């Protein structure tokens, strides 16, 4: 123990102690200054206002302030694409330089949704379903049908849309509804030989619509093509108001004689059966009546020659009565 006390009193120990203390102080000062430099103590930047700006202007403002950014996107209907709607941290918050600012913008490309089933639904039900799928109702048209305000067809971009098809959010859907007046019948116009634009005009005037349009493989110029086949054809006579007529376009229309046999064959079966059957039935009925009358007249003539036989008189009388 005395040796330890003697060592503590030596100049060597005092020098080592002083050196260790100086080393600790220097290390503390180095760490303190280093952390202050690394953390940029007493240095801050106020976050500029980014919310409400377009993304291009927002990026320029952040770069001028020496800040970084990270972008996330969402979709909102009726909102300007590229608009900054959220920022974190908020405006005026003091941050260090090169701090990352998180931005939320409106995407320019709308995500797609699956088209719901709205056919045979009422207009109120269809409106609610479309709204829940972030879709809008476009134009509404009415056709003759016994059901009123019932969705008969849904169209997107002028074409009928099937259930489950993927379409962008916010798309407008046109609805075809029933007017509740029933399906009145109109005469089918003859479209054979007409170009497509004239056929559309004729169908519109008759209260009908254009259905499926098919083209002959030989058609190279649709402006010069004419209708060669229509379904249903004029031989059907009448069809429901608002019905659609399917057509086929070819280079040339068929000759007019090809359409006449259908009309000439219709009245023939109506005339021959009604006039041939009654004359054959009438002459059969009166012949048995005349034969029975002649048989009743002959027995009295024979009875004058054979008067004594009473049994023969009874048999003749029975024969005259039809037994």
């Amino acid at each position: 123990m005395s040796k330890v006390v003697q060592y503590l009193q030596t100049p060597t120990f005092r020098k080592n102690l002083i050196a260790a203390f100086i080393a600790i102080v220097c290390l503390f000062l180095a760490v303190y200054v280093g952390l202050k430099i690394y953390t940029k103590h007493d240095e801050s930047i106020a976050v500029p206002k980014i919310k409400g700006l377009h993304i291009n202007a927002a990026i320029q403002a952040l770069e001028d302030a020496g800040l970084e950014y990270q972008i996330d996107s969402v979709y909102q209907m009726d909102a300007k694409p590229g608009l900054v709607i959220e920022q974190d941290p908020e405006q005026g918050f003091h941050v260090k330089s090169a701090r990352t600012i998180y931005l939320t913008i409106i995407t320019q490309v709308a995500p797609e949704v699956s088209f719901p089933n709205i056919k045979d639904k009422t207009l109120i039900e269809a409106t609610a379903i479309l709204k829940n799928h972030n879709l809008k109702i476009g134009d509404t048209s009415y056709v003759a049908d016994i059901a009123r305000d019932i969705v008969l067809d849904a169209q997107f971009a002028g074409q009928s849309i099937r259930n489950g098809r993927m379409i962008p959010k916010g798309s407008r859907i046109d609805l075809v509804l029933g007017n509740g007046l029933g399906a009145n019948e109109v005469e089918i116009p003859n479209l054979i030989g007409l170009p497509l634009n004239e056929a559309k005009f004729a169908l519109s005037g008759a209260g009908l619509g254009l259905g499926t349009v098919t083209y002959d493989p030989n058609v190279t110029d649709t402006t010069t093509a004419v209708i060669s086949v229509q379904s249903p054809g004029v031989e059907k006579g009448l069809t429901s108001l608002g019905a659609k007529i399917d057509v086929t376009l070819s280079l040339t229309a068929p000759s007019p004689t090809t359409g006449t046999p259908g009309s000439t064959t219709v009245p023939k079966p109506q005339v021959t059966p009604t006039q041939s059957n009654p004359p054959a039935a009438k002459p059969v009925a009166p012949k048995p009546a005349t034969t029975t009358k002649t048989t009743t007249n002959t027995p009295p003539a024979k009875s004058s020659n054979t008067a004594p036989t009473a049994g023969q008189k009874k048999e003749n009388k029975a024969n005259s009565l039809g037994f």
Side-chain angles (χ1 to χ4, degrees):
M1 187 68 181
S2 59
K3 292 182 178 180
V4 174
V5 174
Q6 291 177 358
Y7 176 75
L8 293 176
Q9 294 176 354
T10 60
T12 304
F13 172 75
R14 289 193 296 268
K15 291 179 181 179
N16 293 335
L17 182 63
I18 294 172
F21 179 76
I22 294 173
I24 293 173
V25 171
C26 291
L27 179 63
F28 176 78
L29 292 176
V31 172
Y32 177 76
V33 174
L35 289 175
K36 191 173 183 180
I37 295 174
Y38 178 77
T39 58
K40 300 178 181 179
H41 187 66
D42 294 334
E43 179 184 348
S44 63
I45 300 174
V47 178
K49 181 181 179 181
I50 305 299
K51 186 177 180 179
L53 299 179
H54 191 271
I55 184 59
N56 295 332
I59 292 175
Q60 186 63 40
L62 293 175
E63 289 179 349
D64 294 340
L67 300 173
E68 301 292 335
Y69 59 87
Q70 185 173 341
I71 301 174
D72 190 13
S73 61
V74 295
Y75 178 78
Q76 290 183 359
M77 292 188 302
D78 301 329
K80 182 180 178 181
L83 186 69
V84 179
I85 59 174
E86 293 293 339
Q87 71 175 82
D88 185 27
E90 297 291 338
Q91 173 190 1
F93 193 84
H94 289 271
V95 297
K96 305 298 182 182
S97 61
R99 168 72 182 272
T100 300
I101 308 298
Y102 298 93
L103 307 177
T104 304
I105 67 172
I106 303 297
T107 181
Q108 297 183 0
V109 179
E112 293 185 337
V113 294
S114 176
F115 184 73
N117 182 16
I118 60 173
K119 289 186 178 180
D120 298 329
K121 305 288 186 183
T122 64
L123 179 60
I124 297 177
E125 292 175 339
T127 302
I129 294 173
L130 292 177
K131 185 177 180 180
N132 292 335
H133 286 75
N134 295 320
L135 299 173
K136 295 181 179 180
I137 293 182
D139 297 332
T140 56
S141 58
Y142 288 85
V143 297
D145 192 82
I146 193 172
R148 180 173 179 82
D149 290 335
I150 298 297
V151 178
L152 304 178
D153 190 19
Q155 298 179 351
F156 172 66
Q159 299 291 333
S160 296
I161 182 172
R162 67 180 185 276
N163 301 333
R165 176 183 170 183
M166 302 302 294
I167 58 176
K169 280 187 178 180
S171 300
R172 293 185 177 272
I173 306 300
D174 299 332
L175 302 180
V176 179
L177 308 174
N179 58 8
L181 300 179
N184 299 325
E185 291 186 335
V186 295
E187 186 176 357
I188 300 175
N190 187 9
L191 307 178
I192 303 300
L194 297 179
L196 187 59
N197 56 349
E198 295 183 11
K200 289 180 180 179
F201 183 77
L203 291 174
S204 177
L208 302 174
L210 181 64
T212 304
V213 179
T214 57
Y215 290 89
D216 190 89
N218 297 326
V219 175
T220 57
D221 187 3
T222 58
T223 59
T224 59
V226 294
I227 296 176
S228 59
V229 179
Q230 70 176 82
S231 177
V234 293
E235 65 275 2
K236 185 179 178 181
L238 300 177
T239 187
S240 301
L241 184 66
K244 294 185 177 182
I245 306 298
D246 300 333
V247 298
T248 300
L249 279 80
S250 304
L251 294 177
T252 58
S255 59
T257 56
T258 57
T260 55
S263 59
T264 56
T265 54
V266 175
K268 286 182 180 180
Q270 296 178 357
V271 177
T272 53
T274 56
Q275 293 181 356
S276 59
N277 292 333
K282 287 181 180 180
V284 177
K287 286 182 179 180
T290 55
T291 54
T292 53
K293 288 181 181 180
T294 55
T295 54
T296 55
N297 293 331
T298 53
K302 291 180 179 179
S303 62
S304 60
N305 296 328
T306 57
T309 59
Q312 292 179 356
K313 290 183 179 180
K314 292 181 179 181
E315 291 178 359
N316 293 333
K317 187 181 290 185
N319 292 331
S320 63
L321 294 175
F323 295 113

